[in-house]
Amino acid sequence: MPVDIQSPSLCLGIVGTGAMGRGIAQIAAQAGIRVLLFDALHGAAANARETVVGTLATLADKGKISADALAAASTRLEVVQRLDELALAQVIVEAIVEDLDVKKALFQQLEDIIAADCILATNTSSLSVTSIAAACKRPERVAGFHFFNPVPLMKIVEVVDGLLTAPWATDALLELGRRMGHTAVRAKDTPGFIVNHAGRGLVTEALRILGEGITDFREIDCIMREAAGFRMGPFELMDLTGLDVSQPVMESIYHQYYQEPRYRPSPIAAQRLIGGLLGRKTGRGFYDYAEGKPAIAPDAAAPAALPDRVWVSQTHPEWADILREIAAATGVAVESDYTPGSDTLCVVTPLGADVTTCCVEQGLDPQHTVGIDCLFGITAGGGARRSLMTTPLTAPAMRDAAHALFTADGCAVSVMRDSAGFVAQRIVACIVNIGCDIAQQRIASPADIDRAVRLGLGYPHGPLAFGDTLGPRKILAILEAMQDFYGDPRYRPSPWLKRRALLGASLLTEAR
Ligand code: NAI
């Protein structure tokens, strides 16, 4: 018999009252649900209740909830001293230590206590729901209910179907997540579920760019924030999370997917973890946090000397027009000849390729040539950041002249060494590709993938909508060019992306 989630007398048991258990208790009590709190550590559940009531009181003081709501929510939070007092609950959420054997043992104990139709949910972020369920007598009522920290602010919950879970159990948890005011998405039990799986693209590719010596971490962060629209750059994010948390997640998902190259971690992060450069929590990560805030150096002054003449590649005519306008506005002579003059600055517009390859293909002088990323940040005067790339042979004077030219209208410019796909193109292409492969594996619906990533990772778009906004064909072209250049299956396009790009269809399209 499925549980009546909307019932006013619904009772939720929470086992484990650390940060996660407390957060789940708060939103449940605020949603009118009776909550029983249990923790193995003596006094921990009572402390948790006090903390949650204190948080609700602060919300009431700030006028965010009424005094009545505070009183009502507080009375709904009850501490129990023994596990068997959870017999009253219709749903039990476990948020104890992240240890498979401990979780299995708890669920086995709970099975002897609870009612026949009680749902057992685990908040695990990295363990297999199927494996926890398989230890139970009735695995069909065991499912994942994965919240994010801090629970009241991260308004997303992944409801996870284990291999043995009955749909009625996950249906009920989806409804419960929504009743608690969260967006509830459904995912298959796979490593990282949706959010921690989709999050592999940003950090691993950023670390790879760093490892390749293309540019430094500050520049990568600036590009991802100012040109690609992310709230936080990948290195700021790793510093915030702490490498003690993010590196084991990178390793674990990579190995659980049997060394899938798309998720390959970086020795840079592994070594920094060993060195104790964890991030904000240790005062030193990629950035220094001596004053509590990251010490992010400002841009160095841009060179001022403009080139005499500029020539723009016609490989992408729509981009060439914009670049010629930007150049013309500075008063620089823009050449319209098919072949550039011998001392002219040549500008190419790579999509997934590097400048060297463009130079050779277009018969240009590598000493005079730079590349500019036209997929991100070329709108004139838009305040975005532009990315410029050099070949190994580009003359410093030509590089500086290009820098001066593209910063003349007030845009910030990042100058980097040659890279197949600059910084933003390759990172965003990896994010979109992984999102597409999550859809291809049917781990979640396209709409749920995008919802989960927007809310769980705070990206400007979900990966599939991001690909649609930039153009699936362009994303495919970037990945194919990168795979061609590096010969690395890391960049092989997901069949989901390839088919939809070839057909001109949205990446959000489900197969009929
Ligand atoms: P925590 O360590 O702050 O709290 C765990 C609580 O569980 C402690 O109060 C401990 O006394 C209690 N406990 C441990 N073993 C127990 C047992 N056998 N029976 C009853 N109580 C027990 O942990 P936190 O951060 O609240 O995480 C809890 C769970 O939520 C873990 O499974 C974790 O993977 C998951 N999670 C954590 C996130 C986070 O950012 N902290 C995010 C998403 C999921």
Side-chain angles (χ1 to χ4, degrees), residues 311-312 314 335-340 362 364:
W311 174 94
V312 179
Q314 283 293 331
E335 290 185 3
S336 50
D337 295 349
Y338 183 69
T339 336
Q362 297 177 46
L364 301 171

Side-chain angles (χ1 to χ4, degrees), residues 203-266:
V203 284
T204 61
E205 191 58 17
L207 283 161
R208 208 180 147 101
I209 292 168
L210 186 68
E212 226 178 292
I214 289 162
T215 186
D216 61 27
F217 61 85
R218 174 205 170 275
E219 217 65 34
I220 297 170
D221 277 352
C222 290
I223 293 167
M224 293 314 290
R225 265 191 276 106
E226 297 166 35
F230 284 67
R231 279 210 298 251
M232 203 181 269
F235 297 95
E236 293 167 278
L237 178 65
M238 279 183 270
D239 273 4
L240 181 68
T241 313
L243 281 183
D244 55 330
V245 174
S246 47
Q247 177 63 15
V249 174
M250 284 191 248
E251 298 263 355
S252 150
I253 293 187
Y254 176 61
H255 290 299
Q256 287 188 74
Y257 273 106
Y258 297 107
Q259 292 78 43
E260 162 58 57
R262 291 191 185 113
Y263 313 137
R264 192 186 300 131
S266 160

Side-chain angles (χ1 to χ4, degrees), residues 37 54 104 152 216 221 377 388 407 478:
L37 294 161
K104 280 182 182 171
D216 61 27
D221 277 352
L388 279 182
T407 201
I478 294 169

Side-chain angles (χ1 to χ4, degrees), residues 437-501:
D437 219 60
I438 295 175
Q440 181 66 44
Q441 293 177 49
R442 270 67 184 182
I443 292 170
S445 71
D448 273 0
I449 294 169
D450 271 11
R451 266 194 283 265
V453 170
R454 269 200 326 273
L455 292 168
L457 298 172
Y459 291 180
H461 312 276
L464 305 175
F466 215 159
D468 277 353
T469 305
L470 296 168
R473 285 208 178 137
K474 289 199 173 83
I475 301 291
L476 180 63
I478 294 169
L479 291 164
E480 286 178 342
M482 288 177 73
Q483 198 191 2
D484 191 39
F485 184 84
Y486 289 108
D488 188 339
R490 172 176 177 77
Y491 301 114
R492 70 195 192 285
S494 164
W496 184 278
L497 168 68
K498 194 163 184 170
R499 294 200 179 99
R500 282 154 186 79

